[in-house]
Amino acid sequence: MWSLIVSLYPLGGLFGALLAGPLAVMLGRKKSLLVNNVFVVAAAILFGFSHRAGSFEMIMLGRLLMGVSAGVSMSIQPMYLGESAPKEFRGAVAMTSAIFTALGIVMGQVVGLRELLGGRQAWPLLLASCLVPGVLQLASLPLLPESPRYLLIDRGDTEACLAALQRLRGTEDLAAELAELEEERVACQGLRAWRPWELFQDRTLRRQVVSLVVLGSAMELCGNDSMYAYASSVFREAGVPPEKVQYAIIGTGCCELLTACISCMVIERVGRRVLLIGGYCLMTCWGSIFTAALCLQSSFPWMPYLAMSCIFAFILSFGIGPAGVTGILATELFDQMARPAAYMVCGALMWIMLFLVGLGFPFIMEGLSYFLYVPFLVVCVCGAIYTGFFLPETKGKTFLEISEELHRLNFPERRQGPPWRGPKVIQSTEL
């Protein structure tokens, strides 16, 4: 029953990810985020009254609803931020999703301390505390404009698009950005929103889809979530008293928060590829040392301390690149019509992988013992290699420029032809 309650969260996340695409197309990015808070409020009510009602079924339903909310928001929020930001700051603005995800982890670890809301009497309040960010978003998000791209390209409302840009940019000259948006609108004119399965059938999106699947899978299978799960036993082995382990675990969340902030500040200087390659290479390095430390911890008294240090270093490396950059790939690699479907694919993949890792990690621990991180290291190496050879840099480029470059990569034999100005090539009339 406990395993079922835990696993209902990623199951709800899968449902939320599949719901995010239709919501983003029908309601828009901003309204979808507002509507999504219905799940948060309902879950908080179920959590808050579950103890008084003596019903664990209310906790199960609340976990499912919180998963749906997370699946929707983790898909639509980076889409909304990426579409609203200017190209010079698009990566940094979209990276704030990773910062607040890490902040949520740290806040959860802190308020879950036994001295705060982690005790026997206060745990319903701990679970119901999800209501606080929901109320904050309901109060603040109506003050912000809708995505300008959604208003112009999806809705064809030029005046609303201009008003949204003016609210976002202030007194800046908007002529160049409006011209860029108009070019993108012309390229998407007459096209409908893609369905998820159609992304896999069209050759013009081959590299984008492969990049999304490979790097999305690598982020979930790189071992970071398992490192959190394994941290408690390593800390105890290193001599940390059992009652103090909860304080040491807070340090792991702080590591990811710190590197997410640093990554946000440097992403527009060094680019996406450098952060991803550097992050995966460092994770490979620290994961290898961690494996060696586990194997030798009975031979040298200081090895448990080295293993504990590797946990912090591994999580720091994850926060540098994969944690934030992977989440903005669907925004930058796909055009306006394909972007919601891309986030559905990316979100579904992420939650399925999260579920499988949680399900399989105990068996990996039992079967591989001290070598349990070898499969994760292979994933990290593959992620670094794929990024180095196949992922194009998107720093400082407009969405249309990114689409043109990806089209040239998908059709290398046609590089000498006329410049491509649309998201899809119709073979019969290409000449």
Side-chain angles (χ1 to χ4, degrees):
M1 188 61 65
W2 178 259
S3 300
L4 179 61
I5 292 174
V6 172
S7 61
L8 280 173
Y9 178 73
L11 181 63
L14 174 60
F15 292 152
L18 297 176
L19 185 63
L23 278 178
V25 173
M26 291 186 295
L27 300 180
R29 285 44 166 166
K30 174 184 168 180
K31 288 182 181 177
S32 297
L33 289 173
L34 287 171
V35 169
N36 186 42
N37 286 292
V38 171
F39 300 115
V40 179
V41 174
I45 292 172
L46 289 169
F47 287 146
F49 291 99
S50 60
H51 183 59
R52 180 169 295 182
S55 171
F56 66 85
E57 293 88 353
M58 293 173 69
I59 298 178
M60 295 172 66
L61 182 56
R63 287 280 294 176
L64 183 68
L65 292 176
M66 280 307 301
V68 173
S69 173
V72 171
S73 61
M74 291 183 74
S75 294
I76 296 181
Q77 184 183 347
M79 192 190 316
Y80 174 58
L81 294 173
E83 290 179 358
S84 301
K87 65 179 181 180
E88 295 83 4
F89 304 108
R90 187 175 59 233
V93 171
M95 275 286 291
T96 56
S97 294
I99 291 176
F100 281 94
T101 299
L103 179 62
I105 292 173
V106 175
M107 290 177 66
Q109 292 170 336
V110 171
V111 300
L113 293 173
R114 295 184 186 92
E115 294 84 352
L116 297 179
L117 297 180
R120 285 184 173 272
Q121 300 301 319
W123 65 261
L125 293 176
L126 173 63
L127 294 180
S129 64
C130 61
L131 183 63
V132 175
V135 170
L136 287 175
Q137 190 181 78
L138 283 171
S140 59
L141 191 57
L143 305 176
L144 301 176
E146 177 59 272
S147 161
R149 276 184 167 77
Y150 174 79
L151 292 172
L152 181 64
I153 300 173
D154 291 73
R155 293 300 182 204
D157 193 338
T158 307
E159 292 183 4
C161 172
L162 181 59
L165 280 175
Q166 287 173 339
R167 290 181 64 187
L168 289 168
R169 309 287 187 263
T171 57
E172 291 182 20
D173 183 14
L174 303 174
E177 191 166 1
L178 277 174
E180 173 203 329
L181 287 174
E182 185 61 31
E183 281 187 45
E184 198 174 340
R185 185 189 69 79
V186 171
C188 296
Q189 198 166 19
L191 301 176
R192 60 167 176 80
W194 292 69
R195 297 180 177 89
W197 56 88
E198 293 174 341
L199 301 181
F200 295 90
Q201 299 170 351
D202 197 288
R203 189 184 170 190
T204 60
L205 298 175
R206 181 177 300 170
R207 185 177 291 252
Q208 295 94 305
V209 172
V210 172
S211 298
L212 194 68
V213 171
V214 170
L215 295 177
S217 300
M219 184 182 73
E220 292 301 325
L221 299 178
C222 67
N224 186 69
D225 294 323
S226 303
M227 194 66 83
Y228 277 111
Y230 205 66
S232 298
S233 59
V234 172
F235 291 154
R236 284 193 294 268
E237 194 72 29
V240 178
E243 67 274 9
K244 301 296 183 183
V245 167
Q246 58 176 345
Y247 303 108
I249 289 177
I250 293 175
T252 60
C254 292
C255 286
E256 188 171 336
L257 176 60
L258 172 65
T259 48
C261 293
I262 294 173
S263 181
C264 180
M265 291 186 285
V266 303
I267 187 172
E268 295 300 345
R269 296 182 181 180
V270 302
R272 285 66 162 154
R273 283 163 45 86
V274 172
L275 291 178
L276 278 175
I277 295 171
Y280 280 124
C281 288
L282 287 172
M283 289 165 72
T284 304
C285 172
W286 294 117
S288 302
I289 298 174
F290 180 69
T291 301
L294 290 180
C295 294
L296 299 173
Q297 63 182 354
S298 58
S299 303
F300 301 95
W302 49 270
M303 276 297 171
Y305 300 100
L306 178 60
M308 185 170 64
S309 302
C310 287
I311 289 178
F312 289 107
F314 190 93
I315 294 173
L316 283 168
S317 304
F318 177 76
I320 287 174
V325 178
T326 308
I328 65 177
L329 290 179
T331 297
E332 297 194 322
L333 297 182
F334 292 85
D335 62 35
Q336 189 75 13
M337 296 295 104
R339 195 169 294 129
Y343 268 104
M344 290 175 68
V345 172
C346 181
L349 184 71
M350 184 189 78
W351 290 103
I352 290 172
M353 293 294 179
L354 184 64
F355 175 78
L356 292 177
V357 168
L359 193 67
F361 185 66
F363 300 100
I364 295 175
M365 285 181 63
E366 185 178 350
L368 298 180
S369 185
Y370 294 144
F371 297 96
L372 78 163
Y373 254 80
V374 172
F376 299 127
L377 297 181
V378 173
V379 172
C380 291
V381 171
C382 292
I385 292 173
Y386 182 88
T387 303
F389 285 99
F390 300 106
L391 184 70
E393 182 57 71
T394 57
K395 179 184 70 172
K397 297 178 182 177
T398 66
F399 285 122
L400 204 57
E401 289 170 344
I402 296 170
S403 295
E404 290 175 350
E405 181 177 355
L406 286 165
H407 185 268
R408 288 193 296 270
L409 294 172
N410 283 322
F411 297 95
E413 70 277 5
R414 298 177 187 157
R415 289 187 181 180
Q416 302 303 318
W420 175 79
R421 292 295 177 187
K424 188 175 181 180
V425 174
I426 302 172
Q427 302 291 343
S428 60
T429 59
E430 186 186 5
L431 182 63

